[in-house]
Amino acid sequence: MDSFLFQASIYLVAAVIAVPIAARLGLGSVLGYLTAGVIIGPVLGLVGSSQTQDLQHFAEFGVVMMLFLIGLELDPRALWAMRHKLIGLGGLQIVLTTLAIMVGMMALGYIWSIALAVGLIFALSSTAIVLQTLSEKGLMQTAGGRSTFAVLLTQDIAVIPMLAVLPLLALPKVMTLAPDGSINRNLEDAHDAAHASYSLVEGLPGWGVTLVTLAAVAAVILAGIYLIRPLFRFIHAARLREMYTATALLIVIGIAFLMTLVGLSPALGTFLAGVVLANSEFRHELESDIEPFKGLLLGLFFIAVGAQIDFRTLFGDPLNILGMTLAVMAIKAVLLCILGRAFGLRGRNQWLFALGLAQAGEFGFVLISFAIQQNVIPVALSEQLLLVVALSMLITPLLFILHDVITRRMSDGEELLDPDVIDATGPVIIAGIGRFGQVVNRLVRASGFKTVILDHDMNAVAAMRRFGIKGFFGDPTRPELMKAAGLKDARVLVVAVDDPESALKLVTHARRERPDLHIVARARDRRQVFRLYQAGANDIVREMFDSSLRAGRYVLENMGLSEYEASISEQTFFQHDRQGVRELAQLWDPDIPAGENQAYIDRAKELEAELETSLLAALEKTEAAE
C-alpha cells in the first residue's frame, strides 16, 4: 500500500508541476505529460520500467474513454457521410505507409516478413496524442481535423486484422539443447497466454468467430437503443449522484470487456457505443461523468510513455535511433501530404493532416509486444522499435507547434487559390460571412440596401451563391481587395471575420484609409473590444453579449419581475455596460494584464457599484410611473 501511494504521489506531483508550465508556455498538455514522464523515469529514476508498464496497461483505458466520448459527439449519419474518407483516405494511408516502410526495411537488409511487420506497426498513429491536441487547439471541426479523425478511426479498426496477420509472419523456431541434453524444438503454443485469458472465440472455427463477433457488435447496438433508457430511469429512482457515474463507467468498461472477449479493439467497441448513444437524452450526462476519468487516464498514459524511453539504448546508438525515428516520420508526412492533397486538403488543413499523423502510435506498443510473443521480430530490433515509437510520440507536440508557426504565415483555407475579381460595389461592405455576418447581411439586404460580401472561405462563398446571394472569395485584409470592393465610397464596413488579428488588421487599415467611415466590428471578448476601439471601430458587438442579455431578461421575468420591468433592467444594463466599456478602454493597456492594472481594477469596481445603483433607480422609477 505504501509503495502504491508513493508511486501515485510521484505521478501526480509530476503532472501537477509539468503540465501547467507546458500549457503556460503554449506547448500543450500532452508535451507536459510526456516531459513529466521523462523526468520521473529516465532522468530521476523515481519509477521503474515494470511499474511504468503496469501503469500504461491501466492508463490505456483513457484512450477507450476518449473514443467513447468522441462517438457521443458523432451523429450516425455523420459517420456514414465519412465512409469515403474511412475507406479511401484511411485505407490508402495504411497500405501506402506499410509498403513504403517495408521497402525501406528491406533496403536495410531485413527479410520481407520482418519488414512487413515493421511497416504495419509504423502505419499506425497516436489516437491519444492527436485527438487530445486537436481538441485542445479547437481543430477537430476543421477539414484537416475531420480527415485526421477519419484516418485514426480507420487505423483503430485495422488493428484487428493486423493482429490476425502477424502470427502468419512468424520466424522459424530455432532448436536448442535442454539442460538434460535433449533437443528442445521450441514448438510451444504461441497462444498460451491467450488461453489463460477469457475468450468467447477461442477454439471456434472461422465462421464461428465471425458469428460471435457480429453478435457482440449487434448486442452493443441493441443495448444502446433499448436498454440504456430503462437503466437510467432505474438509476434515477435512487436519487444518488454517484450512481450515474458508476453506471457510465459500467457501460464503458462492460463494452470494452465484451469487445476483448471476442477479440475486437475495446476502443472500437466503445466508439460504436458512443455513436449509438449520440442522439440519446442521456448523452450529456454520460459526457460529464466520463470526462474527468478520461482526462486523468490519458495524462497517466502520456506520463508512462515518457517514462519508458530508454535513454541508455538511445545514447548507445543515437544516430541510428534518431535516424530511424525521423525517417519514419518523414516518410509518413510525405505520403500524408500527397494523400491529403489528392482528397482536397489545401493549405493549413493539409499541413495539419500531414504533421498531425506523422508519428507512430500507442497501438504500436501492443503490436510490438505481440510480434515478440509470436516470434515475428527479433528482441534486439524490438527494443529499437519501442524507442522509435516513444520518441516519435514525444516529438509530435513539437510538430503541432510547427503547424501553428506555419499557419500563422498563411491565410486560412484556400490561400493557394486566386481571389475573385470584384465587379460590384455598394454602400455596405461585409467582411466575413459566417453565422454573424450572415444575419447582418440578411437584415441589411431585406431592408433594401446593397451589400458587398467578402470572405476567405471558398465553401462559405459558394454556399451563399447557391442561395442566390452573390459574394466574392478573397482575403478581406488585403488592401487591394478592399479597394476593389469600394472602400473609398462605402458608408459602412462590417468586420465579421473570425480571426481576432485579421479583424484588428482590417479595422486599422480601413480607419487609416477612411477616417470618416463608420466601422461595425465583431469581438469575442472585452480584450478584443478594447483593441478594436483603439484601432478605430465605431460600434463593437460582442458575440455573446446580446444573447446573454436576453437570457438574463428571461431569468428576471421568472424571478417575479414583469416583462416591462425586466426589459427596463436589460436596457439599463446595456447602456451602462456600453458606457463602461468605453471608459475602461481608455485605461486598458495591452502590455499590462487586466488583473495587474490597478487603475483598470478600481474603475471596474466603481462601475459595478454604479450598475447596481442604476438598476435599482430604474426599477423604482418604473414602480412610481405605474
Side-chain angles (χ1 to χ4, degrees):
M1 183 65 179
D2 292 340
S3 175
F4 169 77
L5 292 176
F6 172 74
Q7 293 290 332
S9 299
I10 292 297
Y11 286 114
L12 293 174
V13 167
V16 168
I17 294 175
V19 175
I21 293 175
R24 192 176 183 85
L25 295 175
L27 304 178
S29 66
V30 174
L31 187 57
Y33 283 119
L34 290 171
T35 304
V38 171
I39 293 173
I40 66 175
V43 176
L44 300 180
L46 297 176
V47 295
S49 59
S50 60
Q51 296 102 328
T52 302
Q53 289 176 358
D54 293 339
L55 174 70
Q56 182 172 334
H57 293 316
F58 172 71
E60 281 174 355
F61 209 75
V63 181
V64 173
M65 290 184 171
M66 177 176 62
L67 282 171
F68 177 71
L69 292 176
I70 290 173
L72 286 176
E73 298 291 338
L74 272 182
D75 187 280
R77 288 171 295 182
L79 186 62
W80 176 250
M82 293 171 58
R83 65 190 185 279
H84 299 298
K85 286 186 177 180
L86 290 172
I87 299 172
L89 186 57
L92 283 174
Q93 182 274 326
I94 293 173
V95 172
L96 295 179
T97 303
T98 300
L99 292 177
I101 293 178
M102 178 182 176
V103 170
M105 292 297 292
M106 292 180 68
L108 294 176
Y110 290 96
I111 61 175
W112 72 269
S113 60
I114 294 178
L116 177 57
V118 174
L120 292 172
I121 291 168
F122 286 144
L124 304 178
S125 302
S126 175
T127 302
I129 290 181
V130 175
L131 293 186
Q132 176 79 356
T133 307
L134 289 177
S135 298
E136 283 185 5
K137 294 180 177 292
L139 297 172
M140 277 294 292
Q141 298 306 316
T142 63
R146 293 193 300 271
S147 297
T148 299
F149 173 71
V151 171
L152 288 172
L153 182 56
T154 305
Q155 291 177 356
D156 286 341
I157 297 172
V159 170
I160 302 162
M162 287 182 183
L163 290 172
V165 168
L166 282 177
L168 304 178
L169 305 177
L171 298 171
K173 298 290 185 178
V174 179
M175 293 185 296
T176 58
L177 291 176
D180 60 0
S182 61
I183 296 177
N184 183 1
R185 298 179 181 274
N186 293 321
L187 295 177
E188 60 269 5
D189 193 349
H191 296 282
D192 283 345
H195 288 177
S197 62
Y198 297 104
S199 176
L200 294 178
V201 296
E202 182 182 338
L204 294 178
W207 61 268
V209 172
T210 302
L211 287 178
V212 172
T213 302
L214 292 176
V217 173
V220 170
I221 296 174
L222 294 175
I225 296 174
Y226 296 109
L227 296 183
I228 294 299
R229 286 180 175 84
L231 175 62
F232 268 95
R233 291 193 190 100
F234 175 74
I235 295 301
H236 180 71
R239 303 288 181 181
L240 294 174
R241 183 69 184 86
E242 61 270 22
M243 286 296 99
Y244 286 102
T245 303
T247 304
L249 290 174
L250 173 62
I251 291 172
V252 175
I253 294 173
I255 291 172
F257 181 59
L258 176 61
M259 292 298 103
T260 303
L261 290 178
V262 297
L264 293 179
S265 164
L268 179 62
T270 52
F271 171 79
L272 176 62
V275 172
V276 172
L277 296 172
N279 294 322
S280 167
E281 63 267 34
F282 305 107
R283 164 188 160 187
H284 298 294
E285 184 72 34
L286 289 167
E287 286 179 338
S288 62
D289 289 331
I290 295 296
E291 182 68 35
F293 296 97
K294 183 268 293 184
L296 182 59
L297 289 173
L298 274 181
L300 291 175
F301 172 79
F302 297 138
I303 291 176
V305 171
Q308 283 191 87
I309 296 179
D310 187 353
F311 281 94
R312 288 177 298 179
T313 302
L314 174 61
F315 293 146
D317 194 4
L319 294 180
N320 184 37
I321 300 297
L322 289 174
M324 287 179 62
T325 304
L326 295 177
V328 168
M329 299 184 77
I331 291 172
K332 294 187 71 173
V334 170
L335 290 175
L336 288 164
C337 191
I338 295 172
L339 285 173
R341 190 168 186 84
F343 278 79
L345 296 179
R346 298 291 186 273
R348 65 175 59 187
N349 288 312
Q350 186 179 9
W351 280 104
L352 175 62
F353 182 68
L355 296 178
L357 293 171
Q359 77 293 124
E362 56 275 352
F363 279 119
F365 295 118
V366 176
L367 291 181
I368 292 172
S369 300
F370 185 69
I372 296 172
Q373 295 172 7
Q374 301 297 320
N375 197 36
V376 177
I377 58 176
V379 174
L381 176 61
S382 70
E383 293 176 353
Q384 294 181 334
L385 297 181
L386 287 170
L387 195 53
V388 170
V389 172
L391 284 176
S392 68
M393 295 172 71
L394 185 63
I395 293 172
T396 298
L398 301 178
L399 293 183
F400 276 102
I401 295 174
L402 175 61
H403 166 263
D404 292 340
V405 173
I406 292 173
T407 54
R408 277 197 295 267
R409 299 177 178 273
M410 62 174 64
S411 55
D412 193 12
E414 284 72 18
E415 65 280 339
L416 298 179
L417 299 178
D418 293 329
D420 290 336
V421 176
I422 301 176
D423 56 3
T425 59
V428 180
I429 300 175
I430 300 178
I433 198 62
R435 291 174 297 177
F436 186 95
Q438 285 181 25
V439 175
V440 175
N441 180 63
R442 287 175 59 198
L443 175 60
V444 175
R445 286 173 58 89
S447 300
F449 298 98
K450 185 179 180 181
T451 62
V452 179
I453 301 169
L454 287 175
D455 200 291
H456 59 76
D457 186 347
M458 176 61 79
N459 293 328
V461 174
M464 296 299 291
R465 288 173 179 171
R466 283 195 292 270
F467 286 93
I469 301 174
K470 186 175 182 180
F472 299 97
F473 167 70
D475 183 359
T477 63
R478 292 174 58 177
E480 65 272 20
L481 292 184
M482 290 303 299
K483 180 179 179 180
L487 180 63
K488 179 180 177 182
D489 300 316
R491 293 175 57 186
V492 180
L493 168 64
V494 180
V495 180
V497 295
D498 291 328
D499 182 50
E501 296 302 322
S502 297
L504 184 65
K505 181 179 178 181
L506 179 53
V507 170
T508 302
H509 168 72
R511 179 56 66 217
R512 183 172 60 247
E513 295 294 319
R514 285 283 309 279
D516 61 325
L517 179 67
H518 194 94
I519 301 175
V520 180
R522 160 195 178 186
R524 291 186 178 180
D525 49 33
R526 279 199 172 192
R527 183 173 180 273
Q528 192 182 359
V529 169
F530 298 149
R531 297 178 73 192
L532 292 170
Y533 180 84
Q534 293 182 355
N538 300 98
D539 295 316
I540 305 168
V541 182
R542 276 172 281 170
E543 291 177 344
M544 306 298 294
F545 184 71
D546 290 331
S547 56
S548 300
L549 270 184
R550 190 164 65 251
R553 189 185 75 212
Y554 296 152
V555 172
L556 293 178
E557 291 173 2
N558 283 276
M559 292 301 293
L561 272 66
S562 66
E563 289 188 15
Y564 179 68
E565 290 172 332
S567 177
I568 290 297
S569 296
E570 179 188 16
Q571 294 173 22
T572 303
F573 185 98
F574 174 81
Q575 295 296 337
H576 184 276
D577 185 86
R578 188 175 185 181
Q579 181 60 36
V581 167
R582 288 179 177 174
E583 292 187 31
L584 292 175
Q586 303 293 333
L587 300 173
W588 181 73
D589 188 338
D591 299 324
I592 304 175
E596 299 176 9
N597 187 334
Q598 194 58 48
Y600 180 95
I601 293 173
D602 292 340
R603 185 53 185 151
K605 290 180 178 179
E606 294 172 359
L607 287 169
E608 193 66 22
E610 293 173 8
L611 172 62
E612 294 180 10
T613 303
S614 299
L615 287 174
L616 289 174
L619 289 176
E620 290 176 359
K621 186 177 179 181
T622 302
E623 292 174 357
E626 293 176 350

